Amino acid sequence: MNGSMSRARRALMILSPVLLMTFVSVVVSLVVLANLGPATAAGPDAGLARVGDDLALVLVADGAAEIATARRMVSNWGLLVPALVLVVSAFVAWAISGRVQREVDEAARSISSAAQRRETHLQEIAHELRTPLAVMGTNLELASDGEESS
């Protein structure tokens, strides 16, 4: 469980710039949509009641179509695409964080293995040196005892 928490934290760190860009894009898109006005703001009847001639009715209808097209574009490119990018980025971040976790685990195992090999080598060296050092120590004691007795 602890490993998955660190993986989730890592994925969030990888994903945080995408989260920020997505948030900014969505906020800007919502502001643009709000400035375009409601979808039914410029209908042909409203234009006819206000102005009262056919040419104005056509212009108002064309304007309504342009506003509707602009709203669709802002919705698609400003809201849907960032959401899609965020979802795909979340999957990529999760995969990258899993790979990083495996690399970290492998490095930890490697370090642990190297520490065990070092300890084993030190124990072998100490064991191999005990006998010759003990013999040398005994010889020195015998030599010093022999000098004292003469």
Side-chain angles (χ1 to χ4, degrees), residues 113-130:
S113 174
Q116 286 177 337
R117 285 193 311 270
R118 178 181 172 267
E119 186 64 31
T120 301
H121 288 307
L122 286 175
Q123 289 174 355
E124 288 175 1
I125 290 169
H127 175 73
E128 293 298 326
L129 288 176
R130 274 191 205 115

Side-chain angles (χ1 to χ4, degrees), residues 19-140:
L19 284 170
L20 180 63
M21 289 185 295
T22 302
F23 177 75
V24 169
S25 175
V26 168
V27 167
V28 167
S29 298
L30 291 174
V31 168
V32 168
L33 284 173
N35 287 335
L36 286 175
T40 60
D45 292 335
L48 185 60
R50 247 185 321 185
V51 178
D53 66 75
D54 292 335
L55 183 59
L57 177 63
V58 171
L59 291 176
V60 170
D62 285 345
E66 288 173 3
I67 289 175
T69 301
R71 290 180 70 80
R72 277 194 307 278
M73 286 181 59
V74 170
S75 294
N76 290 342
W77 291 103
L79 299 175
L80 297 178
V81 171
L84 180 64
V85 167
L86 182 61
V87 169
V88 170
S89 299
F91 282 115
V92 170
W94 187 256
I96 289 172
S97 66
R99 188 173 203 165
V100 168
Q101 182 66 46
R102 286 190 296 276
E103 294 292 329
V104 167
D105 291 344
E106 180 62 32
R109 281 192 295 276
S110 177
I111 290 170
S112 175
S113 174
Q116 286 177 337
R117 285 193 311 270
R118 178 181 172 267
E119 186 64 31
T120 301
H121 288 307
L122 286 175
Q123 289 174 355
E124 288 175 1
I125 290 169
H127 175 73
E128 293 298 326
L129 288 176
R130 274 191 205 115
T131 303
L133 288 175
V135 169
M136 288 169 42
T138 302
N139 286 340
L140 286 174

